[in-house]
Amino acid sequence: MRLRNIPSADGIIAESPFCIQNPSSCPDFWKNVFQNENPIHIEIGMGKGDFIIQLAQQNPDINYIGIEKYTSVLLRAVQKLQRLEAAPACLRFLCMDAENLSEVFSPNEVSRIYLNFSDPWPKKRHARRRLTSRQFLSLYDQILSSHGTLEFKTDNKLLFDFSLEELPEAHWNLDSFTYDLHQDAQMNQNNIMTEYEKKFSALGNPIYKFIASR
Ligand code: SAM
């Protein structure tokens, strides 16, 4: 998702109390931000933020961090929080490329990573840019706790199958998976639909999901 450039977005994000500037991987950084030691769950490529905002509203005892590369997209999530009567205290946003994750989280600091409808990068020569490539899985390996999980949803069959093949290459275990999330009573329990999920399931596309761990 890349919205038209919005010139004011950079300034609004730099000033927003919901967006963390100059994050660091110092061990106490996130404890100080949230003023607690609750588990940290992150969503990478959160887009306009519907999914993580709802998660944070439902689970105040988890610290959520939404990560998005483009300010023009993140701005929409910030505006959603501004419109709420009470923004969840357990939610913050980071504007950054996921390539730099190890600069903002210390080893084992994250308990869960969500990837929703990640960009497919269909050309083979761009495979390493896919957020489920073995290169990104190795990055997640560095920041995820030993019992941590990775949850991935997409409607893109090629990307899903590619991701299933990458897991063992990077020494991950496939804990559960479905080729039709919305018809799978167990995996669909408490499912929160993302923006893209609503859009693509309305077109009749099945949604694929897996949960993986090390
Ligand atoms: N997750 C949302 C959903 O399901 O509705 C948005 C999906 S959209 C197709 C993918 C998002 O991931 C885009 O907003 C894009 O800017 C972001 N993104 C892609 N690569 C990224 C990266 N390396 N680091 C951070 N965000 C990234």
Side-chain angles (χ1 to χ4, degrees), residues 162-210:
F162 164 84
S163 309
L164 289 178
E165 285 167 17
E166 289 296 271
L167 289 174
E169 294 294 337
H171 311 289
W172 286 67
N173 302 316
L174 182 60
D175 296 336
S176 51
F177 70 100
T178 173
Y179 279 91
D180 197 347
L181 176 64
H182 297 168
Q183 301 304 320
D184 184 319
Q186 201 176 343
M187 287 197 77
N188 200 38
Q189 220 176 13
N190 302 324
N191 183 48
I192 294 175
M193 298 242 268
T194 78
E195 261 195 285
Y196 271 59
E197 186 170 352
K198 286 179 196 156
K199 191 164 95 181
F200 290 124
S201 57
L203 294 173
N205 297 5
I207 306 301
Y208 314 121
K209 175 173 179 173
F210 71 62

Side-chain angles (χ1 to χ4, degrees), residues 1-3 43-51 67-70 73-74 94-101 114-121 129-131 136 140 153 193-200:
M1 183 189 310
R2 183 126 190 226
L3 298 183
E43 184 189 9
I44 303 173
M46 57 174 257
K48 297 179 194 167
D50 283 5
F51 173 85
I67 296 172
E68 170 53 50
K69 195 165 159 180
Y70 296 110
V73 183
L74 182 55
L94 278 180
C95 193
M96 61 172 277
D97 192 315
E99 272 184 9
N100 304 317
L101 278 175
Y114 293 101
L115 299 174
N116 292 316
F117 297 80
S118 309
D119 295 329
W121 291 105
R129 297 186 192 173
R130 298 172 193 152
L131 290 179
F136 272 105
Y140 307 153
K153 292 195 280 189
M193 298 242 268
T194 78
E195 261 195 285
Y196 271 59
E197 186 170 352
K198 286 179 196 156
K199 191 164 95 181
F200 290 124

